[in-house]
Amino acid sequence: YVATGGSDSSPGTEAQPWQTVQKAADTMVAGDTVHIRAGTYRERVSPQNSGDEGAYITYAAYPGESVTLDGTGVDIPEWSGLFDITNRSYIRVSGLRVANALTNPHNPGILADTCDHILIENNTVYRTNDSGIAAWTCSDVVIDGNTVEKACEAMWNECITVGNTAHFEVKNNLVFDSAKEGICLKDGSYDGSAHHNEVHHTGAVGFYVDAQAVHTHDIEVYDNVSRDGVEDG
């Protein structure tokens, strides 16, 4: 457990929670779940361990409570996310609000980079310089039920970006209010789908399958809604 009034020298129990999400990220091993209590956490989070098949490491808001990971005043390295999953496997991120990833131009809100078996579900991402949610050079990624608003404020990439990634599913997401593309599947991605998403009020294409640089193939796009955008749906 993590709570704003906790201490990182505590055992991390419900009665004696840790204070920072990063303490959980430094500590948890396969099969562990951290329940994050209500409040605002001004920190960057980077998981240090991987889960395993059938034993994901889960980062989750405590049921019924609102949890914000806020990048205001946080030093986020270039090419890194505020919630940054790099070279890890079997990680689940669920029910968080991730806001203000604005330190450098290439700062997504939630980033999976060189990962496999990643589940990003039911999060809200607000104000990012780069993508709201991005998966790069990954496999077996599910991006499900998230809301992304005001992404790509530095005009890099797309609100939800899947690049050079195999075996993916982007579904049930809501994307709106950005000057860039809504959902983009690109740069050699394959064997994936985007379905039952809604994109509106974007300044560029709603849904984009982009093979400009690398052959991108075997992707299904269906049962989506794109509306009130400046360019094509």
Side-chain angles (χ1 to χ4, degrees), residues 12-82:
T13 62
E14 187 169 13
Q16 295 179 285
W18 292 318
Q19 185 179 35
T20 67
V21 183
Q22 187 59 45
K23 173 63 177 180
D26 291 338
T27 307
M28 291 195 299
V29 295
D32 286 345
T33 294
V34 59
H35 302 279
I36 308 168
R37 301 304 304 259
T40 297
Y41 299 83
R42 288 189 169 86
E43 56 177 305
R44 175 175 174 263
V45 175
S46 181
Q48 296 302 296
N49 299 311
S50 293
D52 206 345
E53 185 174 2
Y56 276 74
I57 294 175
T58 297
Y59 298 78
Y62 190 89
E65 296 190 2
S66 179
V67 173
T68 298
L69 194 68
D70 188 347
T72 302
V74 176
D75 184 15
I76 310 168
E78 184 71 295
W79 308 104
S80 298
L82 184 57

Side-chain angles (χ1 to χ4, degrees), residues 81-147:
L82 184 57
F83 198 110
D84 189 276
I85 313 165
T86 299
N87 196 28
R88 299 287 178 259
S89 304
Y90 295 98
I91 301 288
R92 177 187 288 112
V93 182
S94 182
L96 308 183
R97 183 175 186 267
V98 178
N100 302 315
L102 302 169
T103 305
N104 287 295
H106 292 97
N107 284 155
I110 302 174
L111 172 65
D113 186 356
T114 322
C115 295
D116 64 88
H117 296 92
I118 304 298
L119 176 55
I120 300 168
E121 61 177 9
N122 301 323
N123 302 284
T124 297
V125 183
Y126 175 77
R127 288 196 74 212
T128 57
N129 272 346
D130 205 303
S131 304
I133 300 171
W136 287 97
T137 318
C138 294
S139 67
D140 300 281
V141 175
V142 177
I143 300 171
D144 181 12
N146 303 281
T147 297

